[in-house]
């Protein structure tokens, strides 16, 4: 083992023996060859020993090793060190282990049990009693504010509050919450003037306890950074909880990082303890943690140092200095220096914070004795050798002008605007600035030399804004912007200005010396939660911090700000104070989004004309356009019109489609009677939308659902007789279906009554669980069991001899169970476009989603020689077929065979008009034989084919009877007495058009030829009615025998009761009549006696 002391002794012995002493050059050469030995020689006080035999390093007789994982992975260690650490153990106790970082002036104290003693409750506190607060008018505000919070957070805890000796008139009340089995665990502060509460959690860190922020009822007025949730709600917010927010508790680090006095950045002269944000959050503004790292000295004072730079940053600074020296030597100015200063916002000097603790003083806002801190910002001198003469020269060059003095070069003290008294201007200032930014990101400074602590400057780092206080000639102090010339915060208020700012809660009003106003609006994400009990709410939530949307999508506020060219927008106000100017596209779209969320549709409709552009969108504009989707839940008629207007003006631009044009246009057409005149689209725009909606994919499916039972299939008794005149046919529909474990032939469309049908189209779908697939794993091919969904689509046509021939596409795998693909549940809901064509040469082709899957020639087909009625959809169930279990959208049947390109281009086309001749694309739908469009699960020409267990009711058009005059021989048994008069009324004069008079009827039978027999309410019957004269079909289950017996029994009992009641009524009437006759006789007898007496 070789050490430095032994090397020095050997050198002295050589000198005593008279050996020649090495020259200086030879020593330098030897040092160059073995630089490591030279380092050891000149650091004899380091205590480092190297054993070259075992290749081990010792520091003060302790082996050097990597930091343990529990230490290296601690939060505080990761925040300071960006690399692996080599440590030596200095001391070890029962709960604490001290490690020294090799090559650094740091010590790591790892606590196996970091929890220390809990704080004791104060002696002048009493138990919180809600009943006592109800009797005290001065303390009633405490009950209204804290009681809902206590029931939500501290229902099973004990709460203590100051006793009667503490003045209740103070603006802030401190409450202590004790958890069972512990001492004080939470502290709650109630603010009377703001009607706000905030809670702090007691956390342990290195055998000491600290107070850290947990939740608040108003996140705008706290020093901690918390984001309000944007989830949908059942009802509005409770009083005083409109801006409620809380943060998730994170455990404190188990390792305490100490910095030794020998560290170059340590200016305290004592050991310093690292204070992370997790243990002092909410005690100082959150923005200070972005620019400073806080260390606590042994006197409990804090210092905020600039963040330590990495090796890469230090190397860049070194290269920059070399470049400046070379440029100065060449006599040229370094242009890169000016550009870098411009990017950084000017000549930005480093500063340091001094947080001085003051104990045992009377706090102004609470009126009790406690602790407070004074935060002072001073310039941080990196080069300690800078002389006072250079400072004086800089001061002489700057002069005495205050406007040119940089804030970083002054000594300033931070003002506490959270606890300002309500009768001070600082209180009003906090309320104004909290509109555009949280108090946690607002720094209000006063000069340290000013004993009155008047406002000197205001910094909003996140918005990159700075305001400075200036006193005008009339003695009024105003806040002028340092970033915009001649702009200051305005106190102007009027009804027109309030109306203009309505719906923009995060805005302030600025003006210049000419009284020209501008509205400053920060660029932040905005959300409007849906409130079930208030469907037309306009309450907004600002996304000032990172949050999670109800659907699970994260919103990163930091990346939003980075994408924005400017963190705010300035909207000039028109001289009439009635509208705002929009300087660029980003500000226009942002204002339009705010107006849309505030449901001011007329203004949105006007602003939509200014968002059309053919240029490539920036990241900022793309994010704002996506934010327009926050109003998707708004189903107001004017909202549909506004969204269509935006889609029209951005139709030819590079903006991705925000909404479905077809869905919005369909909603617009259904509510067009309620669209206001200010938001009504022009006729040309409506025609353009009609054409566009038929050329793009439609997400709106007006489907009819089938349950897979016999009673759910539909029948068209009239059929499609137009197909008899042609020898070509095309079938087209959209459908989706459920999967089954067993294969089954589900019927989609059928012409004719099975099993004697002319044409049947359906599919077979099954979930194949026995599929084997070979995959390569570990260099060998192995068989892996896989699952897949298979389906084959088929068509059956009638051939000679009454038999049928089936044409099938074969099994097709249309989805696999893979993590990267959609799930089987989503595949079940996927719509499929199906088309089947039959040409004149009996060539049958099947197309699925525009792609031809199978083509076959059937020479013996007899399809066009039979009858084309009735037509079934979704059934019926026979020996060979099952009913459809799924849904069908639109069904079209053509009198010609469509080409492959036509089917591929038509799979996304929709038709809104029932009459093809009125459709804008009438030329493309020539040859349409029949079309079935389902609106509300019904179609005017479809009825249920089976009526054994159902009662089908409908309405019959008497116009059909009047025009024909009952000349076809139908039998109608009428119960009216005036048959001749009714017959005369049924006949029409020549040239007179009959009006439709609908009469309710019940379908008693559907004949084989598709005619319907009706039974009317008056007991009459009409046979062989064409289905086109019927409407409003209603299906109800028939009554069973038990129900009929029960109904008859009820009627009998009711009739008996009625007979008994009539009998009782008759007896009472007879008795009353008899009594009246007796009275009349007595009266008559009495009159006769009186007459005899008088005589």
């Amino acid at each position: 083992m070789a050490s430095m002391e032994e090397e020095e002794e050997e050198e002295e012995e050589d000198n005593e023996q008279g050996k020649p002493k090495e020259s200086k050059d030879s020593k330098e050469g030897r040092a160059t060859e073995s630089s490591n030995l030279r380092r050891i020689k000149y650091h004899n006080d380091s205590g480092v020993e190297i054993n070259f035999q075992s290749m081990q390093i010792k520091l003060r007789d302790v082996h050097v090793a990597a930091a343990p994982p529990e230490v290296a992975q601690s939060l505080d260690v990761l925040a300071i060190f960006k690399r692996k650490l080599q440590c030596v153990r200095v001391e070890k106790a029962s709960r604490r282990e001290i490690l020294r970082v090799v090559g650094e002036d740091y010590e790591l104290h790892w606590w196996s049990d970091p929890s220390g003693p809990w704080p004791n409750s104060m002696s002048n506190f009493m138990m919180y009693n809600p009943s006592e607060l109800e009797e005290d008018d001065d303390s009633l505000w405490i009950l209204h504010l804290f009681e809902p919070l206590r029931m939500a957070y501290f229902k099973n805890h004990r709460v203590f509050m100051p006793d009667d000796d503490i003045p209740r008139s103070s603006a802030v009340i401190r409450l202590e919450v004790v958890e069972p089995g512990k001492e004080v665990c939470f502290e709650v502060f109630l603010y009377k003037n703001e009607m706000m509460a905030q809670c702090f959690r007691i956390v342990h860190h290195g055998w000491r306890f600290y107070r850290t922020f947990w939740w608040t009822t108003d996140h705008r007025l706290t020093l901690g950074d918390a984001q309000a949730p944007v989830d949908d709600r059942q009802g509005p917010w409770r009083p005083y909880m409109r801006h409620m927010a809380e943060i998730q508790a994170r455990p404190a680090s188990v390792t305490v990082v100490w910095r030794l006095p020998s560290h170059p950045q340590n200016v305290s002269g004592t050991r310093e303890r690292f204070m992370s944000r997790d243990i002092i959050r909410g005690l100082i503004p959150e923005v200070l943690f972005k620019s400073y790292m806080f260390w606590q000295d042994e006197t409990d004072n804090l210092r905020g140092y600039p963040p330590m730079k990495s090796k890469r940053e230090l190397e860049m600074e070194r290269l920059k200095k070399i470049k400046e020296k070379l440029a100065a030597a060449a006599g040229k100015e370094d242009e890169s220096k000016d550009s870098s200063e411009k990017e950084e916002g000017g000549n930005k000097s480093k500063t340091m914070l001094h947080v001085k603790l003051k104990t045992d003083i009377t706090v102004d806002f609470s009126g009790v004795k406690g602790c407070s801190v004074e935060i002072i910002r001073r310039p941080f001198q990196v080069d300690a050798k800078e002389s006072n003469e250079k400072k004086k020269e800089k001061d002489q060059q700057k002069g005495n002008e205050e406007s040119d003095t940089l804030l970083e070069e002054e000594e300033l003290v931070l003002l506490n605007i959270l606890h300002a008294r309500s009768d001070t201007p600082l209180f009003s200032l906090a309320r104004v600035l909290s509109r555009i930014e949280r108090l946690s990101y607002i720094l209000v400074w006063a000069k340290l030399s000013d004993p009155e602590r008047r406002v000197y400057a205001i910094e909003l780092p996140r918005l990159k804004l700075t305001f400075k206080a200036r006193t005008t000639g009339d003695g009024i102090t105003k806040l002028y912007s340092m970033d915009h010339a001649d702009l200051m915060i305005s106190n102007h208020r009027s009804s027109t200005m309030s109306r203009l700012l309505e719906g923009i809660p995060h805005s302030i009003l600025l003006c210049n010396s000419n009284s020209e106003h501008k509205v400053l609006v920060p660029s932040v994400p905005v959300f409007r939660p849906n409130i079930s009990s208030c469907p037309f709410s306009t309450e907004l939530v600002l996304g000032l911090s990172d949050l999670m949307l109800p659907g699970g999508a994260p919103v990163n506020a930091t990346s939003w700000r980075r994408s924005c060219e400017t963190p705010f927008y300035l909207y000039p106000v028109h001289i009439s104070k009635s509208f705002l100017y929009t300087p660029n596209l980003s500000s226009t779209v942002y204002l339009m989004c705010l107006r849309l969320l505030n449901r001011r549709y007329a203004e949105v409709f006007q602003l939509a004309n200014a968002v059309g552009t053919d240029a490539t969108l920036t990241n900022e504009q793309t994010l704002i356009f996506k934010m327009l989707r926050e109003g998707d839940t708004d189903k107001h008629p004017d909202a549909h019109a506004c969204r269509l207007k935006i889609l029209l003006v951005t139709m030819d631009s590079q903006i991705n489609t925000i909404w479905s044009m077809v869905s919005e246009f369909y909603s617009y057409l259904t509510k067009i009677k309620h669209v206001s005149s200010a938001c009504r689209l022009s006729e040309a725009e409506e025609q353009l939308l009609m054409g566009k909606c038929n050329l793009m994919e439609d997400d709106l499916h007006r489907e009819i659902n089938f349950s897979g039972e016999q009673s759910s299939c539909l029948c068209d008794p009239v059929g499609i007789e137009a197909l008899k005149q042609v020898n070509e046919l095309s079938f087209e529909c959209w459908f989706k279906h459920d999967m089954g474990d067993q294969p089954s032939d589900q019927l989609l469309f059928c012409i004719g009554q099975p099993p004697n049908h002319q044409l049947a189209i359906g599919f077979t779908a099954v979930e194949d669980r026995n599929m084997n697939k070979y995959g390569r794993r570990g260099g060998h091919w192995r068989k892996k069991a896989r699952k897949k969904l298979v389906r084959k689509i088929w068509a059956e046509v009638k051939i000679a001899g009454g038999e049928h021939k089936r044409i099938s596409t074969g099994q097709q795998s249309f989805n696999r169970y893979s993590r990267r693909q959609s799930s089987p549940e989503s595949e079940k809901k996927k719509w499929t476009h199906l088309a089947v064509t039959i040409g004149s040469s009996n060539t049958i082709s099947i197309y699925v989603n525009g792609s031809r899957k199978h083509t076959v020639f059937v020479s013996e087909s007899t399809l066009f020689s039979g009858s084309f009625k009735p037509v079934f959809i979704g059934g019926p169930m026979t020996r060979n077929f099952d009913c459809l279990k799924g849904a069908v959208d639109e069904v079209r049947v053509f009198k010609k065979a469509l080409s492959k390109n036509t089917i591929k281009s038509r799979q996304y086309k929709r038709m809104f008009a029932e009459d093809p001749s009125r459709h804008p694309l009438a030329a493309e739908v020539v040859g349409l034989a029949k079309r079935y469009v389902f609106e509300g699960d019904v179609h005017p020409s479809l009825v249920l084919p089976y009526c054994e267990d159902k009662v089908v009711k409908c309405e019959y058009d008497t116009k059909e009877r009047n025009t024909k005059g009952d000349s076809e021989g139908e039998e109608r048994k009428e119960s009216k007495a005036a048959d001749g008069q009714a017959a005369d009324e049924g006949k029409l004069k020549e040239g007179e058009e009959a009006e439709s008079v609908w009469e309710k009827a019940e379908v008693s039978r559907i004949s084989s030829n598709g005619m319907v027999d009706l039974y009317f309410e008056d007991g009459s019957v009409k046979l062989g009615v064409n289905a086109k004269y019927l409407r409003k079909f209603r299906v109800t289950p028939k009554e069973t025998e038990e129900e009929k017996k029960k109904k008859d029994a009820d009627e009998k009992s009711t009739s008996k009761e009625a007979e008994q009641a009539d009998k009782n009524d008759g007896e009472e009437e007879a008795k009353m009549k008899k009594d009246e006759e007796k009275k009349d006789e007595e009266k008559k007898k009495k009159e006769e006696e009186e007459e005899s007496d008088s005589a």
Side-chain angles (χ1 to χ4, degrees), residues 703-706 734-737 831 884-889:
E703 71 270 12
I704 182 171
N705 297 303
F706 296 90
W734 286 260
F735 74 97
K736 65 180 180 180
H737 59 88
W831 288 90
L884 174 65
K885 188 175 182 180
V888 175
D889 184 7

Side-chain angles (χ1 to χ4, degrees), residues 970-971 1004-1005 1011-1014 1021-1025:
E970 296 97 340
E971 296 182 1
S1004 60
R1005 187 177 68 90
M1011 295 300 177
V1012 181
D1013 298 343
L1014 301 179
V1021 177
K1022 186 167 181 64
L1023 308 177
V1025 178

Side-chain angles (χ1 to χ4, degrees), residues 127-128 130 146-159 177-180 186 188 214-215 238:
M127 183 73 73
Y128 170 83
F146 179 67
E147 188 61 22
L149 299 172
R150 186 184 69 86
M151 298 300 295
Y153 291 97
F154 309 118
K155 189 174 182 180
N156 299 324
H157 294 65
R158 293 182 299 166
V159 182
V177 182
V178 177
E179 188 176 347
F186 306 96
V188 181
W214 181 20
W215 55 258
R238 292 182 177 180

Side-chain angles (χ1 to χ4, degrees), residues 402-403 405 407 456-457 466-470 478-480 482:
E402 274 189 357
S403 59
T405 303
L407 295 179
Y456 173 64
T466 303
F467 294 93
K468 211 166 187 179
R470 296 177 184 173
K478 297 183 178 180
L479 295 175
Y480 283 82
M482 301 296 294

Side-chain angles (χ1 to χ4, degrees), residues 752-777:
Q753 177 72 43
N756 297 322
H757 54 277
Q758 299 291 328
L759 174 67
I761 300 173
F763 64 91
T764 303
V766 64
E767 182 177 342
D768 189 359
R769 300 177 181 270
N770 298 321
M771 176 192 177
N772 294 325
K773 182 178 180 180
Y774 288 89
R776 190 168 187 176
R777 181 184 300 174

Side-chain angles (χ1 to χ4, degrees), residues 465-468 479-488:
L465 284 174
T466 303
F467 294 93
K468 211 166 187 179
L479 295 175
Y480 283 82
S481 173
M482 301 296 294
D483 309 287
H484 303 84
D486 198 24
L487 270 185
M488 56 184 172

Side-chain angles (χ1 to χ4, degrees), residues 47 68 75 86 154 164 185 328 413 416 486 508 534 557 614 669 698 778 787 852 898 910 937 974 1000 1071:
L75 299 178
Q86 296 293 326
F154 309 118
D164 297 336
C185 296
V413 60
N416 188 356
D486 198 24
I508 60 172
C534 301
D614 56 352
L669 291 178
D698 178 21
K787 302 176 183 178
R852 184 165 56 188
L898 303 178
R910 327 301 283 165
D937 283 358
E974 302 180 355
K1000 294 182 178 180
K1071 186 177 181 180

